[in-house]
């Protein structure tokens, strides 16, 4: 390969990530403080104060250290967080590329590699935007400290396990970098802790054979550290205090059912394309396997039925799952139908796992390790959801690790089998276009919200200087898809409220009145919900 071809290969591989970095730098220039950011900023500002704030949070919120990281970013300044998070978001895309392809080097860069680079670069745009899953994880400082950074560190920290599963050698530097990132990820957020522990245990089930004693000790120590971090998370008094506060006076059984339905209904009714994509991936794998017999035919039929069920349920007026608050008085028929749907979808997810287990011992088409990484990633996906699914009425951002790993798994299958499947490049190209359209919508929302927030900040500064006595917060100037504006700006004068923290942050005198408009619809696109 001559020098010109090498340069062309580098451009094909790295250009999508460079363009992605530029996109994130522009988007983050429009971000602003939200909710807890004000409280952590007011209570922080120095290392001792940030640590004391974390100790206080340990008693009422839990042991996760993501908020401590948020405090450090706030102390360093908003601009530091904006640049660093743009790099982190791009870093996740690069990590995806490495996980799928096995190297970041251009090598003999071809069309498949270039398409993969584009798909990985736009991967955040392929996450659900509903329930503010994307905006809370990517566009909120505290949210990013609890989701983007732990997830990136998890990807780097899990590399020793993953590369061993795939029969790849681990770069020397990562023998030391990965353990540090592993422990840091486990301490930043409990969802990442459960994800890592689930993947480690699943990986050890496959790695215990044909490994040296030194390797097994290395993996065992990391798994033990993750288990210790989970014990640390689960024994924090703040976690249970927060759970009691959110669950109120409900009995344990009623709280469990309410939280599970609040989690499961959006998963099936709103975010069904991702569930279907996982199911169709399993169907595709079964179609590549010869001699699967009646069991394979049943699995394919069951998963294909699921691929049609939810998309057609609304227009065909089939019974659908409903949130607890929407239908307090359900008929017996509705109750029976919902129970059947819950059982169906749980079995649907279990059968996908069964298919992945069937393929765990198959080798890569081009050589290398087994397919054991597929069930390991799948275990991690759902292990990350163990706490939000039942402990509290979870927010959309809690499902970010689930869908991110689901996309990674699908990208891996597309890469492994794409060379042998006609039209696979068309599917990848379509994913890239969807990601670009999504990025355009994200950009619009970020500009709208950044402009509206800048106007509020201007009013706050004028009020502090005595130039105005009222600050108007107009909810309807924001794009609600990309900002939980009615929550982060709301009338609440309690000591721990966001309004109290905002007043302290801007130094507003008590005579200044904060006025809130009536919430209507905001400036986002029309929202269509299945109820």
């Amino acid at each position: 390969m001559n020098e010109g071809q090498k340069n062309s290969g580098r451009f094909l591989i790295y250009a999508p990530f460079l363009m992605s970095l530029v996109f994130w730098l522009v988007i983050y220039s429009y971000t602003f403080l939200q909710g807890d950011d004000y409280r952590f900023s007011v209570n922080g500002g120095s290392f001792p104060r940030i640590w004391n704030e974390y100790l206080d949070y340990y008693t009422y919120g839990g042991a996760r250290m993501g908020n401590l990281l948020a405090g450090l970013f706030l102390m360093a300044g908003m601009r530091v967080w904006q640049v660093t998070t743009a790099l982190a978001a791009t870093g996740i895309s690069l990590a995806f590329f490495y996980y799928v392809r096995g190297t970041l080097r251009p090598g003999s860069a071809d069309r498949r590699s270039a398409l993969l680079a584009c798909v990985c670069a736009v991967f955040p745009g392929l996450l659900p935007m509903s329930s503010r899953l994307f905006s809370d994880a990517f566009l909120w400082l505290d949210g990013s400290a609890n989701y983007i950074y732990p997830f990136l560190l998890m990807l780097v920290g899990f590399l020793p396990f993953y590369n061993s599963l795939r029969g790849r050698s681990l770069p020397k530097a990562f023998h030391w970098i990965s353990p540090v990132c592993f422990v840091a990820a486990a301490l930043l957020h409990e969802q990442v802790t459960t994800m890592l522990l689930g993947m480690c245990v699943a990986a050890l089930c496959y790695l215990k054979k044909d490994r040296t004693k030194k390797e097994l000790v290395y993996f065992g120590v990391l798994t033990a550290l993750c288990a210790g971090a989970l014990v640390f998370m689960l024994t924090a008094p703040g976690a249970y205090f927060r759970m009691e506060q959110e669950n109120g006076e409900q009995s344990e059984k009623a709280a469990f059912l309410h939280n599970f339905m609040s989690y499961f209904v959006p998963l099936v009714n709103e975010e069904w394309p991702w569930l279907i994509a996982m199911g169709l991936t399993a169907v595709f794998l079964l179609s590549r396997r010869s001699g699967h017999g009646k069991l394979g035919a049943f699995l394919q039929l069951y998963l294909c039925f699921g691929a049609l069920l939810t998309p057609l349920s609304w227009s065909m007026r089939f019974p659908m799952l409903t949130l607890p608050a929407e239908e307090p008085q359900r008929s017996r028929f509705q109750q029976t139908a919902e129970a059947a749907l819950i059982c169906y979808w749980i079995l649907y997810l279990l059968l996908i796992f069964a298919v992945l287990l069937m393929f765990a011992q198959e080798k890569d088409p081009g050589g290398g390790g087994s397919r054991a990484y597929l069930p390991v990633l799948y275990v991690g996906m759902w292990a990350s959801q163990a706490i939000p699914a039942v402990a509290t009425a979870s927010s959309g951002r809690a499902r970010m690790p689930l869908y991110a790993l689901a996309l990674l798994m699908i990208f891996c299958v597309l890469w492994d089998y794409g060379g042998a499947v006609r039209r696979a490049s068309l599917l990848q190209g379509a994913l890239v276009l969807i990601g670009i359209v999504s990025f355009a919508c994200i950009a619009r929302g970020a500009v709208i919200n950044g402009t509206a927030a800048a106007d509020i900040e201007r009013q706050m500064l004028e009020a502090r200087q005595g130039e105005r006595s009222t600050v108007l917060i107009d909810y309807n100037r924001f794009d609600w898809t990309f900002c939980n504006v009615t929550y982060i700006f709301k009338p609440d004068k309690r000591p721990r409220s966001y309004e109290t923290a905002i007043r302290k942050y801007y130094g507003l005198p008590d005579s200044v009145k904060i006025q809130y408009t009536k919430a209507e619809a905001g400036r986002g696109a029309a929202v269509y919900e299945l109820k």
Side-chain angles (χ1 to χ4, degrees), residues 44 70 80 115 154 192 221 257 302 324 339 371 458-459 465 507 528:
V80 172
L115 267 175
M154 179 277 298
V192 174
V221 168
L257 292 173
Y302 193 97
R371 301 284 181 201
R458 177 186 58 78
Q459 294 181 66
Q465 295 169 1
Y528 301 93

Side-chain angles (χ1 to χ4, degrees), residues 274-528:
W274 289 264
L275 289 186
I276 288 173
M278 287 185 262
L280 292 180
T281 300
V283 171
F284 169 76
L285 290 173
L286 282 169
S287 70
R288 303 289 300 173
R289 182 177 179 137
S290 59
H292 48 68
K294 293 182 178 179
L295 175 60
F298 167 75
L299 291 173
Q300 287 181 305
L301 176 63
Y302 193 97
L303 296 174
C304 285
F305 174 67
L308 294 174
L309 180 59
T310 299
L312 295 177
S313 290
W314 177 249
S315 58
M316 299 189 75
R317 296 299 188 264
F318 291 164
M320 297 181 68
L321 295 175
T322 55
L323 290 169
E326 289 179 354
E327 299 252 357
Q329 307 252 327
R330 292 180 175 87
S331 67
R332 183 172 297 179
F333 171 74
Q334 179 68 18
Q335 291 176 350
T336 304
E338 290 198 36
L341 284 169
I342 290 171
C343 294
Y344 173 82
W345 285 108
I346 290 175
L347 183 58
Y348 177 94
L349 298 172
L350 291 173
L351 290 180
I352 294 174
F353 184 50
V355 172
L356 299 180
L357 287 174
M358 291 166 60
F359 278 80
Q361 298 305 325
E362 288 206 355
K363 299 294 183 180
D364 287 340
S370 68
R371 301 284 181 201
Y373 73 93
L374 288 173
V376 169
L377 290 178
Y378 195 76
V379 167
M381 286 163 46
W382 293 106
S384 72
Q385 305 302 294
I387 295 175
V390 296
T392 60
S394 63
S395 58
R397 62 183 176 272
R399 295 190 286 278
M400 180 266 183
L402 166 67
Y403 294 122
L405 278 189
L407 288 171
L408 175 59
M409 185 181 75
I410 293 168
F411 294 168
C412 286
V413 172
L414 277 173
W415 175 260
D416 291 344
Y417 291 98
V421 178
R422 294 181 61 192
R423 313 295 184 187
S425 60
L426 286 178
L427 176 58
Q428 289 177 300
L431 287 173
V432 173
L433 292 176
I434 290 293
I436 292 173
V437 171
S438 181
F439 272 16
C441 294
I442 292 167
R444 176 185 180 275
V447 170
I448 287 173
N449 291 338
T451 304
D455 181 64
I456 292 174
E457 182 172 34
R458 177 186 58 78
Q459 294 181 66
M460 294 283 185
L461 296 176
E462 290 176 355
R464 184 175 65 185
Q465 295 169 1
E467 297 176 9
R468 62 166 58 232
S469 59
T470 301
V471 173
L472 176 65
I473 296 179
D474 187 352
Y475 293 137
N476 303 302
R477 289 190 61 190
F478 288 81
D479 184 337
W480 295 3
T481 301
F482 300 102
C483 179
N484 194 4
V485 62
T486 56
Y487 184 75
I488 63 173
F489 295 116
K490 63 179 181 181
D492 187 350
K493 300 189 184 304
R494 290 176 298 177
R496 291 189 188 274
S497 72
Y498 294 155
E499 182 178 326
T500 301
I502 290 171
R503 284 181 171 277
K504 289 181 180 178
Y505 179 83
Y506 287 107
L508 297 182
D510 293 338
S511 58
V512 173
K513 180 182 177 182
I514 299 180
Q515 183 178 342
Y516 302 86
T517 61
K518 183 179 179 181
E520 292 178 1
R523 294 180 61 192
V527 177
Y528 301 93

Side-chain angles (χ1 to χ4, degrees), residues 150 152-154 156-158 176-186 196:
L152 174 60
L153 292 170
M154 179 277 298
V156 178
F158 191 68
W176 301 100
I177 295 173
S178 290
V180 175
C181 293
F182 185 97
V183 174
L196 271 174

Side-chain angles (χ1 to χ4, degrees), residues 40 50 54 57 64-72 142 145-146 188:
F40 294 144
I50 291 171
Y54 170 73
Y57 186 84
R64 67 177 70 157
M65 292 188 171
N67 297 326
L68 192 151
L69 177 61
L72 294 175
D142 185 47
N146 281 281
L188 283 176

